[in-house]
Amino acid sequence: MNYDIEKYKSDVRKLLSDYRYVHSMNVGDSAKMLAEKYGADEEKAYVAGILHDIMKEMPKNEMLEYITSRTDLSAVELVSPKVWHQIASAFYVRENILDDEDIFNAIRYHTTARANMGLLEKIIYVADFISAERDYPDVDVMRQKAQINLDDAIIYALSFTINQLENARKPIHEDTLNAYKFLIMDR
Ligand code: DGI
Ligand code: FE
Ligand code: FE
């Protein structure tokens, strides 16, 4: 595939703040690195990485309208605005930038994860956690795990996210719980 990477970057640049633009480019770099390591298409991973959060800064009321006109939301999704951008970004990319099923799914599940993820989905999920600007307390552990075993890194990230949501007394998305169960059973 020949991807028009400079155009995708300018599309992202127009829709995101400086901080999130830098994050997006860093996720692209991390995704490319993981693709090389785990034998995925490096360019495709880079493209999915730079595009993954493209709708993150759309106003929440518009985002809800945008996604509910395209898909049904679960009860947890309706009360979890932070997961809306994975749906909005996936549809936006498919309709306006490029139509590729792997890239669609990698963006579509990059926040919640899901059971039985494909390699590109796994790569984008992990790349988002280890991007260069991330500085949460366990980021070094996460980066180290990402170098050793992709599924172990995902389990660690899922456990971290589930714990954070529990501590904040927030609902946990069904796909997040199913991703955790699937990978634990699959080991
Ligand atoms: O978009 P980013 O900030 O780069 O990262 P992200 O897409 O992983 O979004 C992280 C946010 O999403 C974080 O504030 C926690 C929230 N989140 C992740 N998984 C779940 C979730 N929120 C709910 N309610 N349920 C989930 O399973
Ligand atoms: Fe995101
Ligand atoms: Fe992100």
mmCIF file of all heavy atoms in Angstrom, residues 118-164:
data_model
loop_
_atom_site.group_PDB
_atom_site.id
_atom_site.type_symbol
_atom_site.label_atom_id
_atom_site.label_comp_id
_atom_site.label_asym_id
_atom_site.label_seq_id
_atom_site.Cartn_x
_atom_site.Cartn_y
_atom_site.Cartn_z
ATOM 1 N N GLY A 118 -6.699 -8.758 16.884
ATOM 2 C CA GLY A 118 -5.690 -9.044 15.876
ATOM 3 C C GLY A 118 -4.373 -8.368 16.243
ATOM 4 O O GLY A 118 -4.319 -7.541 17.169
ATOM 5 N N LEU A 119 -3.306 -8.713 15.505
ATOM 6 C CA LEU A 119 -1.973 -8.183 15.837
ATOM 7 C C LEU A 119 -1.924 -6.652 15.789
ATOM 8 O O LEU A 119 -1.368 -6.016 16.688
ATOM 9 C CB LEU A 119 -0.919 -8.792 14.898
ATOM 10 C CG LEU A 119 0.533 -8.364 15.128
ATOM 11 C CD1 LEU A 119 0.988 -8.646 16.561
ATOM 12 C CD2 LEU A 119 1.463 -9.057 14.125
ATOM 13 N N LEU A 120 -2.501 -6.053 14.765
ATOM 14 C CA LEU A 120 -2.460 -4.583 14.682
ATOM 15 C C LEU A 120 -3.251 -3.935 15.823
ATOM 16 O O LEU A 120 -2.823 -2.916 16.375
ATOM 17 C CB LEU A 120 -2.992 -4.095 13.324
ATOM 18 C CG LEU A 120 -2.732 -2.604 13.056
ATOM 19 C CD1 LEU A 120 -1.238 -2.327 12.897
ATOM 20 C CD2 LEU A 120 -3.493 -2.125 11.824
ATOM 21 N N GLU A 121 -4.369 -4.536 16.200
ATOM 22 C CA GLU A 121 -5.148 -4.025 17.340
ATOM 23 C C GLU A 121 -4.304 -4.050 18.608
ATOM 24 O O GLU A 121 -4.286 -3.095 19.391
ATOM 25 C CB GLU A 121 -6.411 -4.870 17.563
ATOM 26 C CG GLU A 121 -7.453 -4.731 16.466
ATOM 27 C CD GLU A 121 -8.629 -5.677 16.684
ATOM 28 O OE1 GLU A 121 -9.259 -5.634 17.754
ATOM 29 O OE2 GLU A 121 -8.923 -6.480 15.783
ATOM 30 N N LYS A 122 -3.593 -5.155 18.809
ATOM 31 C CA LYS A 122 -2.736 -5.278 19.999
ATOM 32 C C LYS A 122 -1.637 -4.232 19.989
ATOM 33 O O LYS A 122 -1.314 -3.619 21.010
ATOM 34 C CB LYS A 122 -2.111 -6.676 20.058
ATOM 35 C CG LYS A 122 -3.099 -7.790 20.348
ATOM 36 C CD LYS A 122 -2.394 -9.149 20.386
ATOM 37 C CE LYS A 122 -3.377 -10.261 20.736
ATOM 38 N NZ LYS A 122 -2.703 -11.577 20.841
ATOM 39 N N ILE A 123 -1.042 -4.047 18.818
ATOM 40 C CA ILE A 123 0.075 -3.103 18.685
ATOM 41 C C ILE A 123 -0.371 -1.678 19.002
ATOM 42 O O ILE A 123 0.304 -0.951 19.747
ATOM 43 C CB ILE A 123 0.698 -3.225 17.281
ATOM 44 C CG1 ILE A 123 1.564 -4.492 17.230
ATOM 45 C CG2 ILE A 123 1.510 -1.978 16.916
ATOM 46 C CD1 ILE A 123 2.108 -4.836 15.855
ATOM 47 N N ILE A 124 -1.504 -1.274 18.484
ATOM 48 C CA ILE A 124 -1.977 0.101 18.736
ATOM 49 C C ILE A 124 -2.374 0.263 20.198
ATOM 50 O O ILE A 124 -2.087 1.287 20.831
ATOM 51 C CB ILE A 124 -3.134 0.485 17.778
ATOM 52 C CG1 ILE A 124 -2.651 0.450 16.314
ATOM 53 C CG2 ILE A 124 -3.703 1.852 18.119
ATOM 54 C CD1 ILE A 124 -1.451 1.345 15.999
ATOM 55 N N TYR A 125 -3.002 -0.756 20.762
ATOM 56 C CA TYR A 125 -3.381 -0.687 22.186
ATOM 57 C C TYR A 125 -2.145 -0.470 23.060
ATOM 58 O O TYR A 125 -2.140 0.395 23.943
ATOM 59 C CB TYR A 125 -4.131 -1.968 22.592
ATOM 60 C CG TYR A 125 -4.607 -1.923 24.019
ATOM 61 C CD1 TYR A 125 -5.735 -1.192 24.372
ATOM 62 C CD2 TYR A 125 -3.906 -2.584 25.024
ATOM 63 C CE1 TYR A 125 -6.161 -1.120 25.689
ATOM 64 C CE2 TYR A 125 -4.320 -2.516 26.348
ATOM 65 C CZ TYR A 125 -5.454 -1.787 26.675
ATOM 66 O OH TYR A 125 -5.857 -1.703 27.988
ATOM 67 N N VAL A 126 -1.090 -1.217 22.795
ATOM 68 C CA VAL A 126 0.135 -1.093 23.600
ATOM 69 C C VAL A 126 0.892 0.196 23.255
ATOM 70 O O VAL A 126 1.378 0.894 24.150
ATOM 71 C CB VAL A 126 1.037 -2.339 23.430
ATOM 72 C CG1 VAL A 126 2.391 -2.136 24.104
ATOM 73 C CG2 VAL A 126 0.341 -3.570 24.015
ATOM 74 N N ALA A 127 0.976 0.524 21.978
ATOM 75 C CA ALA A 127 1.694 1.737 21.557
ATOM 76 C C ALA A 127 1.141 2.973 22.262
ATOM 77 O O ALA A 127 1.896 3.888 22.635
ATOM 78 C CB ALA A 127 1.607 1.909 20.040
ATOM 79 N N ASP A 128 -0.176 3.000 22.474
ATOM 80 C CA ASP A 128 -0.829 4.131 23.141
ATOM 81 C C ASP A 128 -0.358 4.264 24.597
ATOM 82 O O ASP A 128 -0.287 5.359 25.142
ATOM 83 C CB ASP A 128 -2.347 3.917 23.080
ATOM 84 C CG ASP A 128 -3.146 5.182 23.291
ATOM 85 O OD1 ASP A 128 -2.587 6.291 23.235
ATOM 86 O OD2 ASP A 128 -4.364 5.053 23.503
ATOM 87 N N PHE A 129 -0.024 3.138 25.215
ATOM 88 C CA PHE A 129 0.443 3.149 26.609
ATOM 89 C C PHE A 129 1.923 3.492 26.764
ATOM 90 O O PHE A 129 2.356 3.904 27.838
ATOM 91 C CB PHE A 129 0.209 1.770 27.253
ATOM 92 C CG PHE A 129 -1.126 1.638 27.911
ATOM 93 C CD1 PHE A 129 -2.246 1.259 27.176
ATOM 94 C CD2 PHE A 129 -1.281 1.888 29.268
ATOM 95 C CE1 PHE A 129 -3.487 1.131 27.776
ATOM 96 C CE2 PHE A 129 -2.516 1.765 29.879
ATOM 97 C CZ PHE A 129 -3.625 1.385 29.127
ATOM 98 N N ILE A 130 2.712 3.264 25.727
ATOM 99 C CA ILE A 130 4.178 3.429 25.875
ATOM 100 C C ILE A 130 4.730 4.595 25.055
ATOM 101 O O ILE A 130 5.949 4.763 24.966
ATOM 102 C CB ILE A 130 4.934 2.135 25.490
ATOM 103 C CG1 ILE A 130 4.750 1.784 24.009
ATOM 104 C CG2 ILE A 130 4.506 0.969 26.388
ATOM 105 C CD1 ILE A 130 5.692 0.668 23.529
ATOM 106 N N SER A 131 3.873 5.411 24.467
ATOM 107 C CA SER A 131 4.352 6.512 23.620
ATOM 108 C C SER A 131 5.295 7.415 24.414
ATOM 109 O O SER A 131 5.201 7.520 25.644
ATOM 110 C CB SER A 131 3.166 7.291 23.056
ATOM 111 O OG SER A 131 2.361 7.813 24.084
ATOM 112 N N ALA A 132 6.211 8.051 23.694
ATOM 113 C CA ALA A 132 7.361 8.743 24.307
ATOM 114 C C ALA A 132 6.992 9.758 25.384
ATOM 115 O O ALA A 132 7.733 9.940 26.341
ATOM 116 C CB ALA A 132 8.192 9.405 23.209
ATOM 117 N N GLU A 133 5.834 10.430 25.233
ATOM 118 C CA GLU A 133 5.493 11.490 26.204
ATOM 119 C C GLU A 133 4.796 10.947 27.450
ATOM 120 O O GLU A 133 4.569 11.699 28.395
ATOM 121 C CB GLU A 133 4.652 12.572 25.524
ATOM 122 C CG GLU A 133 3.140 12.327 25.485
ATOM 123 C CD GLU A 133 2.709 11.117 24.651
ATOM 124 O OE1 GLU A 133 3.494 10.629 23.815
ATOM 125 O OE2 GLU A 133 1.565 10.644 24.857
ATOM 126 N N ARG A 134 4.461 9.658 27.498
ATOM 127 C CA ARG A 134 3.764 9.095 28.665
ATOM 128 C C ARG A 134 4.685 9.104 29.882
ATOM 129 O O ARG A 134 5.863 8.728 29.776
ATOM 130 C CB ARG A 134 3.326 7.650 28.390
ATOM 131 C CG ARG A 134 2.267 7.490 27.309
ATOM 132 C CD ARG A 134 0.891 7.830 27.811
ATOM 133 N NE ARG A 134 -0.140 7.373 26.865
ATOM 134 C CZ ARG A 134 -1.365 7.914 26.797
ATOM 135 N NH1 ARG A 134 -1.725 8.892 27.594
ATOM 136 N NH2 ARG A 134 -2.234 7.449 25.923
ATOM 137 N N ASP A 135 4.146 9.474 31.045
ATOM 138 C CA ASP A 135 5.006 9.469 32.237
ATOM 139 C C ASP A 135 4.263 9.033 33.505
ATOM 140 O O ASP A 135 4.567 9.476 34.592
ATOM 141 C CB ASP A 135 5.681 10.834 32.427
ATOM 142 C CG ASP A 135 4.669 11.899 32.808
ATOM 143 O OD1 ASP A 135 3.459 11.655 32.653
ATOM 144 O OD2 ASP A 135 5.087 12.976 33.287
ATOM 145 N N TYR A 136 3.271 8.131 33.345
ATOM 146 C CA TYR A 136 2.606 7.573 34.538
ATOM 147 C C TYR A 136 3.600 6.681 35.289
ATOM 148 O O TYR A 136 4.609 6.238 34.722
ATOM 149 C CB TYR A 136 1.315 6.833 34.146
ATOM 150 C CG TYR A 136 1.494 5.727 33.135
ATOM 151 C CD1 TYR A 136 1.752 4.414 33.529
ATOM 152 C CD2 TYR A 136 1.418 5.990 31.761
ATOM 153 C CE1 TYR A 136 1.921 3.404 32.605
ATOM 154 C CE2 TYR A 136 1.579 4.985 30.827
ATOM 155 C CZ TYR A 136 1.836 3.692 31.260
ATOM 156 O OH TYR A 136 2.011 2.699 30.336
ATOM 157 N N PRO A 137 3.336 6.424 36.595
ATOM 158 C CA PRO A 137 4.343 5.771 37.441
ATOM 159 C C PRO A 137 4.918 4.454 36.897
ATOM 160 O O PRO A 137 6.107 4.203 37.035
ATOM 161 C CB PRO A 137 3.601 5.522 38.752
ATOM 162 C CG PRO A 137 2.524 6.553 38.782
ATOM 163 C CD PRO A 137 2.126 6.802 37.351
ATOM 164 N N ASP A 138 4.090 3.632 36.277
ATOM 165 C CA ASP A 138 4.541 2.306 35.835
ATOM 166 C C ASP A 138 4.987 2.256 34.375
ATOM 167 O O ASP A 138 5.150 1.176 33.817
ATOM 168 C CB ASP A 138 3.413 1.292 36.015
ATOM 169 C CG ASP A 138 3.368 0.767 37.439
ATOM 170 O OD1 ASP A 138 4.220 1.196 38.242
ATOM 171 O OD2 ASP A 138 2.505 -0.061 37.728
ATOM 172 N N VAL A 139 5.195 3.417 33.763
ATOM 173 C CA VAL A 139 5.452 3.412 32.311
ATOM 174 C C VAL A 139 6.705 2.614 31.936
ATOM 175 O O VAL A 139 6.740 1.961 30.888
ATOM 176 C CB VAL A 139 5.487 4.854 31.736
ATOM 177 C CG1 VAL A 139 6.709 5.610 32.195
ATOM 178 C CG2 VAL A 139 5.385 4.830 30.202
ATOM 179 N N ASP A 140 7.702 2.598 32.818
ATOM 180 C CA ASP A 140 8.922 1.833 32.525
ATOM 181 C C ASP A 140 8.658 0.331 32.519
ATOM 182 O O ASP A 140 9.179 -0.397 31.668
ATOM 183 C CB ASP A 140 10.022 2.154 33.549
ATOM 184 C CG ASP A 140 10.525 3.580 33.371
ATOM 185 O OD1 ASP A 140 10.374 4.117 32.253
ATOM 186 O OD2 ASP A 140 11.046 4.139 34.350
ATOM 187 N N VAL A 141 7.834 -0.123 33.472
ATOM 188 C CA VAL A 141 7.461 -1.540 33.522
ATOM 189 C C VAL A 141 6.702 -1.901 32.245
ATOM 190 O O VAL A 141 6.957 -2.926 31.606
ATOM 191 C CB VAL A 141 6.554 -1.817 34.752
ATOM 192 C CG1 VAL A 141 6.151 -3.286 34.798
ATOM 193 C CG2 VAL A 141 7.258 -1.408 36.040
ATOM 194 N N MET A 142 5.792 -1.024 31.874
ATOM 195 C CA MET A 142 4.981 -1.247 30.669
ATOM 196 C C MET A 142 5.874 -1.306 29.424
ATOM 197 O O MET A 142 5.703 -2.205 28.586
ATOM 198 C CB MET A 142 3.992 -0.075 30.587
ATOM 199 C CG MET A 142 2.922 -0.234 29.579
ATOM 200 S SD MET A 142 1.838 -1.629 29.915
ATOM 201 C CE MET A 142 1.421 -1.995 28.225
ATOM 202 N N ARG A 143 6.822 -0.395 29.322
ATOM 203 C CA ARG A 143 7.721 -0.379 28.149
ATOM 204 C C ARG A 143 8.562 -1.643 28.096
ATOM 205 O O ARG A 143 8.794 -2.204 27.023
ATOM 206 C CB ARG A 143 8.635 0.854 28.202
ATOM 207 C CG ARG A 143 7.893 2.145 27.941
ATOM 208 C CD ARG A 143 8.819 3.331 27.678
ATOM 209 N NE ARG A 143 8.004 4.488 27.323
ATOM 210 C CZ ARG A 143 7.936 5.614 28.019
ATOM 211 N NH1 ARG A 143 8.682 5.774 29.104
ATOM 212 N NH2 ARG A 143 7.142 6.594 27.633
ATOM 213 N N GLN A 144 9.003 -2.104 29.262
ATOM 214 C CA GLN A 144 9.813 -3.314 29.323
ATOM 215 C C GLN A 144 8.989 -4.536 28.903
ATOM 216 O O GLN A 144 9.450 -5.363 28.117
ATOM 217 C CB GLN A 144 10.335 -3.483 30.750
ATOM 218 C CG GLN A 144 11.612 -4.268 30.818
ATOM 219 C CD GLN A 144 12.069 -4.436 32.267
ATOM 220 O OE1 GLN A 144 11.495 -3.864 33.189
ATOM 221 N NE2 GLN A 144 13.087 -5.238 32.454
ATOM 222 N N LYS A 145 7.767 -4.616 29.416
ATOM 223 C CA LYS A 145 6.901 -5.741 29.046
ATOM 224 C C LYS A 145 6.617 -5.745 27.543
ATOM 225 O O LYS A 145 6.581 -6.807 26.918
ATOM 226 C CB LYS A 145 5.585 -5.685 29.830
ATOM 227 C CG LYS A 145 5.768 -6.055 31.296
ATOM 228 C CD LYS A 145 4.446 -6.205 32.008
ATOM 229 C CE LYS A 145 4.632 -6.538 33.477
ATOM 230 N NZ LYS A 145 5.213 -7.888 33.716
ATOM 231 N N ALA A 146 6.421 -4.552 26.983
ATOM 232 C CA ALA A 146 6.130 -4.441 25.550
ATOM 233 C C ALA A 146 7.269 -5.005 24.703
ATOM 234 O O ALA A 146 7.050 -5.485 23.596
ATOM 235 C CB ALA A 146 5.858 -2.990 25.174
ATOM 236 N N GLN A 147 8.489 -4.950 25.228
ATOM 237 C CA GLN A 147 9.655 -5.476 24.507
ATOM 238 C C GLN A 147 9.746 -6.996 24.595
ATOM 239 O O GLN A 147 10.468 -7.621 23.811
ATOM 240 C CB GLN A 147 10.959 -4.896 25.077
ATOM 241 C CG GLN A 147 11.126 -3.403 24.894
ATOM 242 C CD GLN A 147 11.271 -3.005 23.427
ATOM 243 O OE1 GLN A 147 11.674 -3.804 22.591
ATOM 244 N NE2 GLN A 147 10.902 -1.772 23.134
ATOM 245 N N ILE A 148 9.059 -7.580 25.575
ATOM 246 C CA ILE A 148 9.226 -9.018 25.829
ATOM 247 C C ILE A 148 8.054 -9.839 25.294
ATOM 248 O O ILE A 148 8.240 -10.824 24.587
ATOM 249 C CB ILE A 148 9.431 -9.275 27.344
ATOM 250 C CG1 ILE A 148 10.703 -8.546 27.815
ATOM 251 C CG2 ILE A 148 9.541 -10.770 27.632
ATOM 252 C CD1 ILE A 148 10.837 -8.446 29.319
ATOM 253 N N ASN A 149 6.824 -9.438 25.649
ATOM 254 C CA ASN A 149 5.657 -10.227 25.247
ATOM 255 C C ASN A 149 4.433 -9.317 25.144
ATOM 256 O O ASN A 149 4.020 -8.717 26.133
ATOM 257 C CB ASN A 149 5.433 -11.350 26.274
ATOM 258 C CG ASN A 149 4.280 -12.258 25.898
ATOM 259 O OD1 ASN A 149 3.137 -11.831 25.797
ATOM 260 N ND2 ASN A 149 4.578 -13.532 25.676
ATOM 261 N N LEU A 150 3.891 -9.224 23.943
ATOM 262 C CA LEU A 150 2.802 -8.283 23.682
ATOM 263 C C LEU A 150 1.565 -8.591 24.540
ATOM 264 O O LEU A 150 0.946 -7.678 25.101
ATOM 265 C CB LEU A 150 2.453 -8.339 22.190
ATOM 266 C CG LEU A 150 1.794 -7.135 21.533
ATOM 267 C CD1 LEU A 150 2.525 -5.836 21.827
ATOM 268 C CD2 LEU A 150 1.697 -7.376 20.032
ATOM 269 N N ASP A 151 1.214 -9.868 24.670
ATOM 270 C CA ASP A 151 0.027 -10.224 25.453
ATOM 271 C C ASP A 151 0.224 -9.911 26.935
ATOM 272 O O ASP A 151 -0.699 -9.433 27.597
ATOM 273 C CB ASP A 151 -0.321 -11.710 25.269
ATOM 274 C CG ASP A 151 -0.928 -11.989 23.897
ATOM 275 O OD1 ASP A 151 -1.255 -11.029 23.167
ATOM 276 O OD2 ASP A 151 -1.073 -13.177 23.555
ATOM 277 N N ASP A 152 1.416 -10.163 27.461
ATOM 278 C CA ASP A 152 1.682 -9.810 28.863
ATOM 279 C C ASP A 152 1.571 -8.307 29.076
ATOM 280 O O ASP A 152 1.074 -7.848 30.115
ATOM 281 C CB ASP A 152 3.078 -10.284 29.285
ATOM 282 C CG ASP A 152 3.115 -11.787 29.530
ATOM 283 O OD1 ASP A 152 2.029 -12.407 29.602
ATOM 284 O OD2 ASP A 152 4.223 -12.341 29.644
ATOM 285 N N ALA A 153 2.052 -7.546 28.113
ATOM 286 C CA ALA A 153 1.942 -6.079 28.206
ATOM 287 C C ALA A 153 0.474 -5.657 28.215
ATOM 288 O O ALA A 153 0.080 -4.773 28.988
ATOM 289 C CB ALA A 153 2.678 -5.427 27.042
ATOM 290 N N ILE A 154 -0.337 -6.304 27.379
ATOM 291 C CA ILE A 154 -1.770 -5.951 27.335
ATOM 292 C C ILE A 154 -2.452 -6.318 28.644
ATOM 293 O O ILE A 154 -3.243 -5.540 29.181
ATOM 294 C CB ILE A 154 -2.462 -6.630 26.133
ATOM 295 C CG1 ILE A 154 -1.847 -6.147 24.820
ATOM 296 C CG2 ILE A 154 -3.962 -6.330 26.140
ATOM 297 C CD1 ILE A 154 -2.298 -6.937 23.595
ATOM 298 N N ILE A 155 -2.139 -7.501 29.180
ATOM 299 C CA ILE A 155 -2.728 -7.909 30.459
ATOM 300 C C ILE A 155 -2.372 -6.900 31.552
ATOM 301 O O ILE A 155 -3.226 -6.490 32.347
ATOM 302 C CB ILE A 155 -2.254 -9.338 30.845
ATOM 303 C CG1 ILE A 155 -2.899 -10.371 29.906
ATOM 304 C CG2 ILE A 155 -2.587 -9.643 32.305
ATOM 305 C CD1 ILE A 155 -2.303 -11.772 30.018
ATOM 306 N N TYR A 156 -1.115 -6.466 31.554
ATOM 307 C CA TYR A 156 -0.670 -5.481 32.549
ATOM 308 C C TYR A 156 -1.449 -4.175 32.393
ATOM 309 O O TYR A 156 -1.935 -3.595 33.374
ATOM 310 C CB TYR A 156 0.829 -5.244 32.380
ATOM 311 C CG TYR A 156 1.448 -4.461 33.504
ATOM 312 C CD1 TYR A 156 1.847 -5.098 34.682
ATOM 313 C CD2 TYR A 156 1.649 -3.089 33.387
ATOM 314 C CE1 TYR A 156 2.419 -4.380 35.721
ATOM 315 C CE2 TYR A 156 2.217 -2.365 34.415
ATOM 316 C CZ TYR A 156 2.609 -3.012 35.583
ATOM 317 O OH TYR A 156 3.164 -2.295 36.598
ATOM 318 N N ALA A 157 -1.581 -3.712 31.153
ATOM 319 C CA ALA A 157 -2.298 -2.457 30.887
ATOM 320 C C ALA A 157 -3.779 -2.583 31.248
ATOM 321 O O ALA A 157 -4.367 -1.663 31.821
ATOM 322 C CB ALA A 157 -2.148 -2.078 29.415
ATOM 323 N N LEU A 158 -4.375 -3.731 30.920
ATOM 324 C CA LEU A 158 -5.791 -3.936 31.244
ATOM 325 C C LEU A 158 -6.006 -3.943 32.750
ATOM 326 O O LEU A 158 -6.947 -3.329 33.264
ATOM 327 C CB LEU A 158 -6.285 -5.264 30.648
ATOM 328 C CG LEU A 158 -6.487 -5.299 29.131
ATOM 329 C CD1 LEU A 158 -6.677 -6.741 28.657
ATOM 330 C CD2 LEU A 158 -7.677 -4.438 28.710
ATOM 331 N N SER A 159 -5.107 -4.609 33.465
ATOM 332 C CA SER A 159 -5.201 -4.671 34.921
ATOM 333 C C SER A 159 -5.082 -3.269 35.534
ATOM 334 O O SER A 159 -5.856 -2.881 36.415
ATOM 335 C CB SER A 159 -4.110 -5.606 35.451
ATOM 336 O OG SER A 159 -4.019 -5.486 36.834
ATOM 337 N N PHE A 160 -4.126 -2.507 35.010
ATOM 338 C CA PHE A 160 -3.919 -1.117 35.436
ATOM 339 C C PHE A 160 -5.195 -0.293 35.203
ATOM 340 O O PHE A 160 -5.684 0.408 36.106
ATOM 341 C CB PHE A 160 -2.747 -0.573 34.617
ATOM 342 C CG PHE A 160 -2.358 0.854 34.856
ATOM 343 C CD1 PHE A 160 -1.436 1.175 35.845
ATOM 344 C CD2 PHE A 160 -2.877 1.874 34.070
ATOM 345 C CE1 PHE A 160 -1.045 2.500 36.047
ATOM 346 C CE2 PHE A 160 -2.498 3.199 34.266
ATOM 347 C CZ PHE A 160 -1.582 3.513 35.265
ATOM 348 N N THR A 161 -5.765 -0.403 34.018
ATOM 349 C CA THR A 161 -6.968 0.381 33.669
ATOM 350 C C THR A 161 -8.166 -0.053 34.502
ATOM 351 O O THR A 161 -8.905 0.787 35.033
ATOM 352 C CB THR A 161 -7.284 0.216 32.166
ATOM 353 O OG1 THR A 161 -6.165 0.676 31.413
ATOM 354 C CG2 THR A 161 -8.512 1.007 31.757
ATOM 355 N N ILE A 162 -8.350 -1.376 34.642
ATOM 356 C CA ILE A 162 -9.484 -1.885 35.426
ATOM 357 C C ILE A 162 -9.370 -1.398 36.875
ATOM 358 O O ILE A 162 -10.351 -0.946 37.468
ATOM 359 C CB ILE A 162 -9.562 -3.434 35.336
ATOM 360 C CG1 ILE A 162 -9.982 -3.848 33.924
ATOM 361 C CG2 ILE A 162 -10.533 -3.998 36.378
ATOM 362 C CD1 ILE A 162 -9.780 -5.335 33.602
ATOM 363 N N ASN A 163 -8.165 -1.450 37.423
ATOM 364 C CA ASN A 163 -7.936 -0.949 38.785
ATOM 365 C C ASN A 163 -8.262 0.525 38.919
ATOM 366 O O ASN A 163 -8.901 0.945 39.881
ATOM 367 C CB ASN A 163 -6.472 -1.162 39.173
ATOM 368 C CG ASN A 163 -6.306 -2.418 39.978
ATOM 369 O OD1 ASN A 163 -6.707 -2.476 41.130
ATOM 370 N ND2 ASN A 163 -5.734 -3.443 39.358
ATOM 371 N N GLN A 164 -7.789 1.309 37.962
ATOM 372 C CA GLN A 164 -8.053 2.758 38.004
ATOM 373 C C GLN A 164 -9.540 3.050 37.950
ATOM 374 O O GLN A 164 -10.049 3.895 38.689
ATOM 375 C CB GLN A 164 -7.382 3.443 36.803
ATOM 376 C CG GLN A 164 -5.940 3.816 37.052
ATOM 377 C CD GLN A 164 -5.491 4.873 36.052
ATOM 378 O OE1 GLN A 164 -5.993 4.928 34.928
ATOM 379 N NE2 GLN A 164 -4.570 5.714 36.458
#
